[in-house]
Amino acid sequence: MTYHLPPAGSTSPLEAWRAGLIAGLGAPGFALIASFIGFGALARELGLSLPLALLSTMTIWAVPGQMALAEMQALGADFLAIVIAVTLINARFLPMTLPLFAYLGSHAGGLKRKASLYGLGQFVALTFWTGSMRVMPLLPMGQRMPWLYGFGMSCIGISLMATVGGYVAASQLPIAIKLALVFLNPLFFLLVFSADVKGADNIAAIIAGAAIGLAVHPLWPDWSLMAGGVVGGSIAFVIGERMGARRSKPAEPDSQEP
Amino acid sequence: MQTILDSRDLWLLALVVAAGLGSYLWRGLGVWLSGRVTLDSPVLRWVTCVSYAMLAALVARMLMMPEGPLAAAPLVDRVIGCGIGLGSLFLLKRNTLAAVLIGAGTLALLSVLRAIGWL
């Protein structure tokens, strides 16, 4: 996948911002459109209103957490159970944010510098991160932040439009299409798990999380995600550390991590 | 004056805002920590494992024990849709987007075939 860059030799922040905006309209845009059409359709089918579906795209800004929220509120789960589930499912943003922001240099500077860094943090999610990690080394320091802002704004803009599209489509289209739309996201993550996830600990986490989550769900639906995540993830972590003790090489950050 | 928001709407609004703040917690923490900690620490590996396991639990539940319209599709149709999606992924040299569309299309097709009585 290639991403739109400012013209060679340019150092203008405005040109970088514009290039970032255009980059979001390419291939990353297609992935977001499919994903958020799927989420919009799911939100409608699970009884979430369109304004709340859009607000979740802006605030949670990552389909897995949004799917968890839509599903769990439809199941009648506890407020706290839902907030904790969404929060933990998004814990992967921490290891994603660290290497990306390392490209932006020192935090030193006034309030404006801090505000722009923390504001930029809100954009971190799979598609944004994958593209940004690819582009950052190619840009001079002064163009990095503007490019990221442009890219993030077009990613969220496209996703908001697709959320509306999926929501409306689910109310108008026949059941067969509706089924296909709500199937898009879980299938997408199944495929990512099957092909792109690297590292023994992460693969073990997926297997253990799925097995424990399914086993606990009929007994304890509110907390089955938490059980799968915390118990399954911890088992996988222990397995990974045991295996890691034998090979000393640190793992590369995985570019396809969801 | 007519009440525009009922208590369920307010509950959902508070839920979306709280879940958004919970998600930002990691993003903000990541910005704050960038440049201060190394990426290969045990705490970060554990956090990644928990996040993966939780996502897998969600995806497994949505595919095997779904809520909403997917619950109306028989398990065998959902499994066939996943199988065709996975098969396409490897045949299409890992083009995830195309494989997802093929798998979801398969589920739609099966549902049409059932509706017209061919299955």
Side-chain angles (χ1 to χ4, degrees):
Chain A
M1 209 181 272
T2 55
Y3 294 88
H4 197 80
L5 296 175
S10 150
T11 53
S12 147
L14 186 64
E15 273 178 332
W17 179 75
R18 207 179 296 139
L21 269 184
I22 297 170
L25 304 177
F30 286 106
L32 288 171
I33 288 169
S35 230
F36 281 89
I37 281 183
F39 169 71
L42 184 78
R44 160 133 198 321
E45 293 306 303
L46 295 177
L48 209 59
S49 71
L50 181 57
L52 285 175
L54 289 171
L55 185 66
S56 77
T57 297
M58 286 189 282
T59 58
I60 302 175
W61 176 232
V63 166
Q66 294 175 253
M67 289 196 300
L69 181 137
E71 278 250 316
M72 289 180 81
Q73 63 82 26
L75 275 169
D78 200 53
F79 187 93
L80 201 59
I82 303 176
V83 173
I84 296 175
V86 176
T87 302
L88 285 181
I89 229 170
N90 284 336
R92 67 190 182 291
F93 295 151
L94 176 55
M96 289 163 78
T97 307
L98 290 174
L100 178 60
F101 277 69
Y103 282 114
L104 297 175
S106 145
H107 289 205
L111 192 63
K112 197 175 158 216
R113 165 86 178 151
K114 289 220 163 32
S116 31
L117 281 167
Y118 282 94
L120 191 61
Q122 174 61 17
F123 290 123
V124 172
L126 172 67
T127 306
F128 174 82
W129 184 80
T130 311
S132 302
M133 291 295 285
R134 201 78 55 84
V135 167
M136 283 304 97
L138 309 175
L139 293 178
M141 187 60 94
Q143 286 192 319
R144 289 178 178 174
M145 180 109 83
W147 190 91
L148 290 173
Y149 264 100
F151 187 52
M153 285 160 78
S154 72
C155 284
I156 292 197
I158 287 168
S159 303
L160 288 171
M161 286 188 269
T163 306
V164 175
Y167 203 94
V168 173
S171 64
Q172 305 290 329
L173 297 176
I175 179 76
I177 307 288
K178 209 183 288 192
L179 272 180
L181 295 181
V182 296
F183 198 51
L184 287 174
N185 283 306
L187 181 59
F188 171 77
F189 286 105
L190 177 73
L191 299 186
V192 168
F193 288 162
S194 312
D196 292 330
V197 173
K198 293 172 193 79
D201 54 347
N202 293 335
I203 292 166
I206 287 164
I207 296 167
I212 295 170
L214 285 177
V216 171
H217 187 63
L219 311 167
W220 213 24
D222 275 25
W223 300 94
S224 63
L225 289 188
M226 191 97 70
V230 176
V231 180
S234 302
I235 294 172
F237 171 74
V238 172
I239 294 173
E241 298 300 290
R242 291 261 165 91
M243 292 177 73
R246 269 173 272 143
R247 63 175 166 88
S248 55
K249 193 172 124 293
E252 283 285 303
D254 182 354
S255 69
Q256 287 294 319
E257 174 192 320
Chain B
M1 199 183 94
Q2 197 191 344
T3 320
I4 300 164
L5 293 166
D6 67 19
S7 62
R8 173 73 181 165
D9 289 332
L10 284 176
W11 187 86
L12 282 169
L13 178 64
L15 181 69
V16 171
V17 170
L21 290 174
S23 308
Y24 187 78
L25 179 79
W26 306 105
R27 295 171 165 134
L29 193 62
V31 176
W32 187 69
L33 286 174
S34 66
R36 293 173 212 238
V37 300
T38 89
L39 198 59
D40 196 50
S41 85
V43 176
L44 280 185
R45 286 199 297 271
W46 179 76
V47 161
T48 308
C49 280
V50 169
S51 183
Y52 266 121
M54 203 146 182
L55 183 55
L58 175 69
V59 168
R61 186 172 91 192
M62 291 184 79
L63 293 171
M64 308 291 289
M65 304 171 180
E67 286 296 304
L70 274 185
L75 178 63
V76 58
D77 289 11
R78 286 178 260 134
V79 171
I80 292 171
C82 292
I84 301 267
L86 276 171
S88 324
L89 183 68
F90 292 103
L91 287 176
L92 295 170
K93 297 182 178 156
R94 308 201 158 189
N95 181 337
T96 316
L97 195 56
V100 166
L101 295 177
I102 292 170
T106 304
L107 185 71
L109 181 66
L110 289 172
S111 134
V112 170
L113 293 179
R114 282 188 195 281
I116 60 175
W118 286 17
L119 273 179

